[in-house]
């Protein structure tokens, strides 16, 4: 595993020791450090359309719309004929996240979901496999007779994005295909809220089985919310699921408002911490917030400038490391914020997937903590049951940097890891 953080420092745990066995593409629970993600496997199609095109097919603008298979086929065919399609990308918020994790960590992850049993050239399944890291173990996918999902992102001249979702067989994941042994040994289990709207579909039961397995074996559960529209429609079910199963909740500021009723990200995070342990909120041009719990006697005061907004001096203890609330004797809410990396890109090429990139960075650090605890259990880094290896402030920096990398490219997934040295950082940083 590539370790997050300063890459020039020689870490004091054996990352370079020769491995006794030949490398394996398939995850071995007893040997590997990995995360597991459950997703509605879907391919994203990007196309430019007019407002009249949306009206023709009665597609509400700016929302995520589920449509029947035949209607989606008609839309897709017209886009092909009109040469309106610019790209095909492997999609799905969790698919994006675990792909990015494997690219950052240069290590394994496991994808749970469905895949076409027979993959035809140019099919959605073909594009999905082509655009997914080889480090993602897809051997546990459930084979289905039909296609995986297809999401069509239609961009109107004003820049607004409208989504058409053709589920096809993506919701047919059965509970029998949830490998308890794989989840039990994982560093984290990550899922989105999207399966919650698949009422009556097998994937919903499969998701709850995976959540129950993760909780039983004390594997941290991470959930990404999806879209504001999804949260508004399924708010009570989401709140119930998060309260019962979830340790880390990731969302943007619009989803946070829909969930908590607070437009201010800090107040939304404060409210969300009443039913989960850590909250990541990406807020576009305002940067990102990472909030959670630390124990009173392990808190560390920040040497960064102290900030006040809706909460006074909110980042005072951002040098603390995250913990689960139940592991704290005296739980203390900790808040950290960071402005966009380098002030944000001069030109944003793509906003789709930036939050998934930030979440992948958090998962990488959590997995690094899991790995370090396995190889150095007596280290002072594990005197408490910490959720991540780094502090809130350092996690913000890492998530922010990865998010920037997505914003300056066209694809919603990383095509390469971060550089070993950053030209934007002063030389003294690398000489420490």
């Amino acid at each position: 595993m590539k370790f997050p953080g300063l890459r020039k420092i020689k870490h004091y745990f054996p990352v370079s020791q020769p491995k006794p066995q030949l490398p394996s593409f398939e995850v071995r629970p007893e040997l590997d450090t990995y995360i597991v993600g459950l997703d509605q496997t879907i391919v994203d199609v990007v196309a430019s359309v007019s407002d009249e095109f949306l009206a023709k097919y009665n597609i509400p603008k700016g929302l995520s719309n589920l449509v029947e298979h035949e209607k989606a086929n008609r839309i897709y065919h017209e886009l092909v004929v009109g040469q309106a399609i610019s790209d095909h990308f492997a999609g799905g918020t969790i698919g994006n996240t675990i792909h990015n994790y494997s690219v950052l960590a240069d290590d394994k992850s496991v994808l749970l979901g469905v895949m076409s049993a027979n993959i035809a050239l140019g099919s959605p399944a073909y594009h999905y496999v082509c655009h997914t890291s080889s480090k993602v173990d897809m051997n546990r996918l459930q084979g289905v007779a039909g296609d995986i999902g297809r999401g069509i992102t239609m961009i109107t001249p004003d820049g607004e994005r409208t989504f058409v979702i053709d589920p096809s067989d993506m919701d047919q994941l059965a509970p029998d295909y949830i490998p308890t042994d794989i989840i039990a040994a994982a560093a984290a289990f990550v899922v989105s809220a999207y399966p919650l709207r698949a009422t009556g579909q097998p994937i919903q039961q499969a998701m709850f089985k995976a959540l129950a397995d993760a909780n039983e074996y004390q594997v941290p559960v991470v959930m990404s919310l999806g879209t504001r529209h999804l949260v508004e429609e399924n708010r009570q079910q989401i709140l119930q699921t998060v309260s019962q199963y979830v340790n880390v909740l990731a969302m943007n500021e619009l989803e946070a408002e829909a969930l908590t009723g607070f437009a201010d990200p800090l107040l939304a995070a404060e409210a969300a911490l009443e039913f989960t342990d850590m909250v990541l909120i990406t807020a576009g041009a305002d940067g990102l917030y990472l909030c959670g719990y630390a124990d009173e006697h392990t808190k560390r005061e920040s040497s960064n400038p102290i900030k006040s907004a809706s909460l006074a001096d909110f980042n005072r203890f951002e040098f603390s490391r995250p913990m689960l609330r139940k592991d704290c004797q005296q739980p203390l809410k900790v808040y950290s914020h960071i402005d966009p990396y380098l002030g944000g890109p001069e030109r944003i090429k793509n906003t789709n997937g930036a939050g998934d990139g930030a979440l992948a960075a958090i998962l990488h650090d959590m997995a690094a903590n899991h790995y370090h605890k396995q190889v150095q259990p007596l280290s002072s880094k594990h005197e408490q049951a910490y959720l991540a290896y780094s502090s809130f402030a350092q996690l913000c920096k890492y998530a922010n940097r990865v998010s920037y990398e997505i914003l300056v490219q066209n694809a919603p997934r990383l095509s390469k890891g971060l550089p070993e040295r950053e030209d934007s950082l002063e030389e003294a940083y690398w000489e420490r």
Side-chain angles (χ1 to χ4, degrees):
M1 166 180 284
K2 281 188 177 179
F3 199 77
L6 299 183
R7 297 162 182 80
K8 197 170 180 180
I9 289 177
K10 182 179 178 182
H11 290 281
Y12 55 88
F13 58 98
V15 294
S16 58
Q17 284 186 356
K19 295 188 177 180
Q21 297 185 7
L22 291 173
S24 166
F25 286 106
E26 189 167 344
V27 159
R28 300 161 296 179
E30 71 284 0
L31 295 174
D32 296 321
T33 297
Y34 59 92
I35 65 168
V36 179
L38 184 151
D39 202 15
Q40 296 167 306
T41 43
I42 190 170
V43 165
D44 291 329
V45 179
V46 182
S48 297
V49 302
S50 64
D51 289 317
E52 290 74 23
F53 185 92
L54 297 180
K56 175 181 177 181
Y57 287 98
N58 194 27
I59 303 296
K61 186 176 179 179
L63 299 179
S64 179
N65 306 276
L66 283 172
V67 301
E68 63 273 13
H69 187 61
E70 290 305 317
K71 183 176 179 179
N73 277 342
R74 292 198 305 273
I75 292 172
Y76 182 76
H77 179 71
E78 184 168 342
L79 293 174
V80 170
V81 171
Q83 297 183 329
I85 295 175
S86 60
D87 287 297
H88 288 81
F89 297 114
T93 184
I94 302 306
N96 290 344
T97 299
I98 66 168
H99 164 92
N100 292 336
Y101 165 85
S102 284
V103 170
L104 293 170
D106 192 27
D107 215 338
K108 297 173 187 174
S109 58
V110 177
L111 176 65
L112 304 179
V114 303
M115 181 54 63
S116 300
N118 296 301
I119 300 178
L121 191 67
S123 68
Y126 171 83
H127 286 291
Y128 194 95
V129 172
C130 285
H131 290 89
T132 300
S133 168
S134 62
K135 298 279 189 179
V136 178
D137 182 349
M138 293 192 273
N139 290 303
R140 273 87 182 174
L141 292 172
Q142 174 185 339
V144 291
D147 282 328
I148 62 173
R150 181 170 52 193
I152 305 175
T153 302
M154 295 182 287
I155 306 173
T156 44
D158 59 1
E160 184 70 70
R161 291 170 180 260
T162 301
F163 303 94
V164 164
I165 310 298
D166 169 20
S168 197
D169 283 347
M170 72 179 186
D171 292 330
Q172 298 309 304
L173 176 64
D176 292 345
Y177 283 83
I178 300 301
T180 299
D181 61 325
I182 296 294
I183 292 176
F189 173 70
V190 58
V191 69
S192 78
Y194 281 112
L196 292 177
R197 74 176 177 186
T199 306
Q201 298 295 328
I203 193 170
Q204 197 173 96
Q205 291 122 38
M207 183 187 78
F208 281 114
K209 181 183 185 304
L211 290 171
D213 286 347
N215 279 188
E216 180 180 351
Y217 291 96
Q218 298 183 356
V219 174
V221 173
V222 181
M223 176 175 277
S224 174
L225 281 190
T227 66
R228 177 175 189 156
H229 188 55
L230 172 73
V231 177
E232 289 171 343
E233 286 190 339
N234 302 274
R235 183 175 180 273
Q236 284 308 122
Q237 190 176 17
I238 289 172
L239 284 172
Q240 183 179 349
T241 303
V242 171
S243 298
Q244 186 172 355
Y245 297 107
V246 176
N247 305 114
V248 181
L249 192 60
M251 50 196 160
N252 64 28
E253 75 280 18
L254 299 178
E255 295 151 12
E257 182 181 3
L259 186 70
T260 66
F262 293 102
D264 182 286
L266 274 175
L267 296 180
E270 182 183 38
L273 286 177
E274 294 302 314
F275 46 85
T276 193
D277 299 290
M278 190 160 74
V279 177
L280 170 66
I281 299 180
T282 53
D286 291 332
L288 61 83
Y289 297 81
L290 186 68
C291 315
Y293 286 97
D295 205 336
E296 181 71 32
H297 77 279
T298 65
K299 68 184 181 185
R300 293 176 59 204
E301 193 159 346
S302 176
S303 61
N304 294 328
I306 302 300
K307 303 177 182 179
S308 289
S310 50
L311 299 177
D313 301 341
F314 66 84
N315 68 321
R316 180 172 296 278
F317 299 109
E318 65 181 353
F319 281 10
S320 308
R321 289 171 64 193
M323 296 177 66
L324 298 180
R325 185 176 183 176
K326 68 179 179 61
D327 292 330
C328 299
Q329 295 178 9
Q330 293 179 276
L332 172 71
K333 287 182 179 178
V334 177
Y335 305 87
S336 187
H337 167 261
I338 192 166
D339 292 314
Y341 179 69
L342 296 181
E346 289 184 13
R347 179 173 175 265
I348 295 176
K349 294 185 178 180
N350 167 54
T351 57
N352 187 23
D356 302 335
L359 181 57
I362 303 297
L363 286 163
H364 184 195
D365 198 273
M366 291 171 64
N369 188 59
H370 179 272
Y371 173 76
H372 189 267
K373 189 173 183 178
Q374 286 182 316
V375 297
Q376 293 287 341
L378 300 181
S379 166
S380 59
K381 294 286 286 185
H382 306 294
E383 289 176 350
Q384 301 294 325
Y386 292 109
L387 185 58
Y389 188 84
S390 304
S391 68
F392 285 94
Q394 195 67 25
L395 284 165
C396 274
K397 289 181 183 178
Y398 189 29
N400 204 31
R401 178 63 184 89
V402 176
S403 183
Y404 176 91
E405 199 70 14
I406 299 290
L407 292 171
V408 296
Q409 64 178 36
N410 289 316
R413 295 184 173 193
L414 292 172
S415 57
K416 62 183 186 302
L418 298 184
E420 291 296 315
R421 291 173 70 102
E422 296 283 9
D423 293 338
S424 62
L425 296 176
E426 71 277 7
E427 193 62 28
Y429 177 92
W430 297 110
E431 296 304 327
R432 282 187 298 187

